[in-house]
Amino acid sequence: MAETSRRALRLLSLLTTARCWSLGELAARLDVSERTVRRDIETLRELDYPVTTVHGPAGGYRLGAGHALPPLLLVDEQALAITVALQTAPSSVFGLGEDAERALDALKRIMPARLRTAMESLNLTSLQNYWEFPADPIGSERLKAAGIAVRHRHVLIVDTVRADGTRPAPGEDGFSPARRIEPHHLVLWAGRWYLVAYDLADASWRVRRLDRLHLRSPTGVPFPPRELPGGDVARFVMTSHDRGDTPATWPCTGTARLNLPAETVARWAPGGSVVEHLGPDHCRLTIGAWSWAGVAGILATFDTDLDEVTPAELRQACRRLVRRWRAAAAGD
């Protein structure tokens, strides 16, 4: 009976994904026969779960809408995933620490003893090392406002802000007029939140750091969906060199011209770096690290010719590394 109950819970977990599952897919996921899956489906229906049958070539089973389901029907792996997510979310969203802690406590109180024990075993301590490049956590209100606009496809009016959150006045460095954009995707990459949007002023797709945008009051103006160039959101964000990034604060920051396209360098440069397009085969990379040798080492990972290296301290570090690498190579 216990095994049947656990299998029915796993089946219900699959059906709550809002997709249609064929009988064969469910049997393979549960590692049982199709006959057993049919019996488990009937068991769920007897418990008043609205499992519906979809007829036709693409048919199968899915969970019907319009019925209230008991909360927190989770298998072990899902409970542990929530535990980890709630403990790590504050690293990317500001102000979630206390709320996430309360939510985790509430989950533990209503979990079965077995799952509660597993959740309590994952009491995490998150530490940052020298080679992580995350941005500061973003405000939850800004994230929520952007998410709502993406979900409902409503035009946003945005202003560009400085790293400290202030907006440049007309005539000041960094000032740009307000933009009307169609927000299509929210992306979290390298510890930074990005908004993928279609800019109505210049009729082009843009990727912008969400923490560098001030979102004005919601317009409520709807827009139709558009097809993103290439259709791959992840690739579009990672290869866009003009993402509104600014150099992260490091003890040492240097620049160099690389013999690589900007989109290639943007894909592999760590967070907190800035890539400037100079032509089809060249770009300028600004990068920081905890030492000048660290900056030189990151530049070396691109395995290409480079010049216009600044400042002088970075050039000196490159010379020191050349001597070390020659000595290491002499061992052959």
Side-chain angles (χ1 to χ4, degrees):
M1 180 63 71
E3 178 60 32
T4 301
S5 299
R6 281 194 292 268
R7 191 175 62 245
L9 184 59
R10 290 176 58 200
L11 174 59
L12 184 59
S13 175
L14 293 173
L15 294 173
T16 54
T17 59
R19 60 162 287 187
C20 183
W21 295 86
S22 70
L23 186 61
E25 288 175 323
L26 292 173
R29 286 296 190 100
L30 299 174
D31 195 22
V32 295
S33 67
E34 294 186 357
R35 182 179 179 182
T36 299
V37 174
R38 289 194 184 95
R39 285 203 307 264
D40 289 341
I41 288 174
E42 290 307 314
T43 298
L44 292 178
R45 286 170 172 166
E46 290 172 3
L47 293 173
D48 204 26
Y49 289 101
V51 181
T52 60
T53 302
V54 180
H55 299 284
Y61 299 93
R62 65 183 173 197
L63 205 60
H67 288 71
L69 298 179
L72 300 173
L73 295 166
L74 305 174
V75 296
D76 296 30
E77 292 78 8
Q78 291 172 325
L80 296 182
I82 291 175
T83 303
V84 173
L86 286 173
Q87 292 185 75
T88 56
S91 65
S92 62
V93 182
F94 178 75
L96 286 190
E98 186 176 340
D99 290 330
E101 185 177 352
R102 287 201 302 266
L104 187 58
D105 288 340
L107 280 172
K108 290 177 181 177
R109 284 196 299 270
I110 60 177
M111 280 290 176
R114 178 177 53 81
L115 284 183
R116 184 167 60 250
T117 300
M119 294 174 71
E120 290 173 346
S121 69
L122 280 176
N123 187 16
L124 308 181
T125 298
S126 180
L127 300 176
Q128 180 181 342
N129 64 37
Y130 286 115
W131 290 106
E132 290 181 17
F133 302 84
D136 292 332
I138 194 171
S140 58
E141 288 301 316
R142 186 180 310 185
L143 183 62
K144 183 167 64 175
I148 291 173
V150 170
R151 179 181 179 183
H152 295 290
R153 295 200 186 102
H154 285 171
V155 172
L156 281 175
I157 300 178
V158 300
D159 299 285
T160 302
V161 300
R162 301 186 180 98
D164 61 3
T166 60
R167 278 179 281 172
E172 294 181 345
D173 289 341
F175 171 78
S176 63
R179 316 286 292 188
R180 292 174 60 86
I181 62 173
E182 297 175 352
H184 286 261
H185 302 279
L186 269 175
V187 177
L188 178 62
W189 181 49
R192 289 161 168 77
W193 287 97
Y194 293 93
L195 185 63
V196 179
Y198 186 82
D199 193 307
L200 293 171
D202 54 15
S204 62
W205 286 90
R206 301 288 185 185
V207 180
R208 285 291 178 266
R209 281 270 298 273
L210 188 57
D211 59 342
R212 298 290 188 265
L213 297 177
H214 168 73
L215 310 184
R216 296 194 182 187
S217 299
T219 65
V221 178
F223 62 85
R226 296 180 186 270
E227 187 67 28
L228 182 72
D232 189 334
V233 177
R235 179 175 177 81
F236 184 76
V237 172
M238 290 187 292
T239 58
S240 296
H241 65 275
D242 183 16
R243 295 189 291 253
D245 283 324
T246 56
T249 302
W250 286 96
C252 304
T253 303
T255 67
R257 190 180 78 122
L258 279 64
N259 290 3
L260 285 172
E263 57 268 21
T264 300
V265 175
R267 169 65 180 87
W268 300 108
S273 57
V274 174
V275 181
E276 178 186 355
H277 175 79
L278 299 178
D281 301 312
H282 295 84
C283 67
R284 179 171 286 107
L285 175 63
T286 300
I287 189 69
W290 54 272
S291 70
W292 290 113
V295 177
I298 295 174
L299 292 173
T301 63
F302 287 93
D303 194 22
T304 187
D305 294 334
L306 50 89
D307 55 17
E308 298 181 13
V309 178
T310 59
E313 291 86 347
L314 178 54
R315 294 194 295 273
Q316 293 170 1
C318 291
R319 287 191 284 270
R320 289 195 300 272
L321 289 178
V322 166
R323 291 195 296 269
R324 292 169 185 166
W325 288 332
R326 282 177 176 168
D332 294 338

